[in-house]
Amino acid sequence: MTYVSADRPSRRAALAGLVGGAGALMTSGCSSSDGASPAQAPTPSRSGPQPSAAAGGGPTPGAMTLFRDPAYNFSGLLALGGAGSGAGEVGEVLTAVNAINKAGLSAQTYVETFKKLGDQLEKAPQGSKADAQTTRFRALRAAQYYGQALFFVLGSDDPGSEEQLYQAGRDAWDTFCKGCEPPPVTANVPYQKTPLPVWFFRPDTADERRPTVILTNGSDGQNVDMWTYGVSAALDRGWNALVYDGPGQGQMLFVDQVVFSPTWEKVVTPLVDWLVARPDVDPDKIALTGLSMGGDLAPRAAAFEERIAALVAMPGCLEPWLGFPPQLREILTPSKEETNNIWNKEVVPELPPDAAATIKKRFEPFSIPAMLAARQGKMFTDFYTPATRVEALTITGIVGRIKAPTLVLDYDDEQFYPGQPREMYEKLTSPKDYVKLTRAQGAQLHCSPMAPQTHCEVVFDWLGETLSVS
């Protein structure tokens, strides 16, 4: 069988052309059109047409472009956005950006610069001895910067340092947590053969029953992101907040080597069991949020775990597989042998290094052999297995089971799952609301990297009203 014709390029050529850089794969499927808002959609909503990239507006105009490559730019904006909650420092991030651009943007310069910044913050600051708060927030920023380095390390000269970088970020996160007042309760919640590490944050130690939010991360986020996108906002409002690593995330992936599971209700149900047994949790006011690909995982869990009182998908995601470029998806056939032949013989030999590194990163949460090969500087040979695992996360036929009131977030210039938040909203049969965060708010792009405070305001205002929390 051949995949070449007189008027159509080979699969490998089409793929190589699409992902000629990490940014191309990162932003595939990006669209600035969104159609009309549903009549039931609450404010804030889109208020008229937005400028398209073709018209010169672009999703990150002017000072919002830190790097020309959209993948690096998106990550840099996330670090910059974390400054509002102490999970970054504007001057530190912009100085790092300048240093990287001066040296020449690459995975190597990005990893080296942000790792060095994390290392510096782990040391004592200049001047007087650091007090508890200084040590705490330097550790939080270090966790952010190690996470920045971790994301691109598979494309660097030392991909084998991935677990070490993860551990550095985790150590910084744990240092931060120990300095919180009160520190979060830590535990290992039973889950299949490998327990789930959890961090339970409380405003104080009183046994007062409070509303509680379970914060679900995405496919490549770290715990520091959950501080920015929920914990800090929850504590400010007198809520409890539970952070956890599920399969395919954090410790479960990098240390325990457990990949993503499509049955996320089996992850969330033990967490709810653990929470309702506590005297400081109101069992009738447990909310569940899902950030990034967590916007697929959390709705899946809420479709089966009926003790969830409110759900927020950030953004709504029905098919994570559609977040991959179509040329990449076309490699997958019903036959494992045929799929892997196409992958290994036609695609892999033509992949540029930066595109190969991005693909390694995107697939590692779904395949331990892929992760281990990437750490050795190699491309995985079994494309079929992780691809089918991503496909299995599809929840299109399941969201109709959700009974909890649900908020679906969407974003101008959503680059991973364009159109999917609206589709999820329309399929929901429970009480529901839809909010689009916009360019006018500086809240465009997947998960509003430049406006996490605005993001949290929308989420927690809705949760407070929905659960009747004053």
Side-chain angles (χ1 to χ4, degrees), residues 134-384:
T134 296
T135 299
R136 176 185 174 221
F137 277 100
R138 282 173 70 89
L140 183 65
R141 301 202 308 275
Q144 171 74 258
Y145 304 143
Y146 285 130
Q148 290 288 321
L150 176 65
F151 188 87
F152 292 102
V153 71
L154 294 182
S156 75
D157 295 343
D158 189 15
S161 65
E162 183 182 50
E163 185 176 351
Q164 179 184 354
L165 261 179
Y166 163 73
Q167 194 59 57
R170 169 63 183 273
D171 290 344
W173 167 255
D174 287 340
T175 297
F176 166 74
C177 289
K178 290 174 184 176
C180 292
E181 184 56 46
V185 175
T186 58
N188 290 308
V189 174
Y191 169 74
Q192 298 184 355
K193 296 180 180 179
T194 308
L196 306 167
V198 304
W199 296 261
F200 179 69
F201 291 84
R202 306 155 293 164
D204 56 52
T205 58
D207 286 342
E208 174 187 348
R209 294 200 178 275
R210 301 185 184 90
T212 300
V213 59
I214 302 173
L215 302 167
T216 304
N217 218 329
S219 66
D220 45 48
Q222 301 303 317
N223 292 325
V224 62
D225 301 316
M226 294 295 91
W227 175 263
T228 301
Y229 282 91
V231 177
S232 180
L235 294 176
D236 287 345
R237 290 162 173 79
W239 287 53
N240 302 317
L242 183 75
V243 175
Y244 69 100
D245 286 341
Q249 301 172 326
Q251 176 184 312
M252 293 282 280
L253 174 66
F254 294 113
V255 179
D256 300 328
Q257 299 188 3
V258 180
V259 299
F260 272 113
S261 165
T263 54
W264 208 255
E265 68 276 12
K266 295 181 181 179
V267 179
V268 168
T269 288
L271 299 176
V272 176
D273 291 340
W274 188 83
L275 286 172
V276 299
R278 295 187 58 85
D280 50 3
V281 171
D282 186 336
D284 297 321
K285 294 183 178 180
I286 296 176
L288 177 65
T289 70
L291 184 70
S292 189
M293 200 184 80
D296 168 275
L297 304 173
R300 163 76 197 209
F304 296 93
E305 176 47 73
E306 296 187 358
R307 291 173 292 179
I308 298 301
L311 169 69
V312 186
M314 316 181 306
C317 172
L318 296 171
E319 296 186 67
W321 186 226
L322 295 181
F324 290 79
Q327 290 89 339
L328 197 62
R329 301 198 307 269
E330 287 173 5
I331 298 168
L332 183 62
T333 76
S335 166
K336 181 175 182 178
E337 181 180 5
E338 180 184 0
T339 296
N340 288 339
N341 277 337
I342 295 169
W343 173 246
N344 291 302
K345 295 179 181 180
E346 294 197 45
V347 178
V348 173
E350 298 295 319
L351 283 174
D354 52 356
T358 305
I359 290 173
K360 291 172 186 177
K361 179 62 180 176
R362 288 300 179 201
F363 279 92
E364 72 171 351
F366 304 96
S367 168
I368 297 306
M371 181 178 75
L372 298 179
R375 290 178 178 178
Q376 297 173 12
K378 301 175 182 178
M379 178 59 77
F380 56 92
T381 57
D382 179 8
F383 179 90
Y384 179 87

Side-chain angles (χ1 to χ4, degrees), residues 404-425:
T406 301
L407 170 64
V408 179
L409 291 191
D410 199 354
Y411 312 94
D412 275 349
D413 303 299
E414 165 61 43
Q415 68 266 44
F416 290 105
Y417 311 122
Q420 292 200 46
R422 177 65 52 77
E423 186 179 355
M424 175 180 284
Y425 175 82

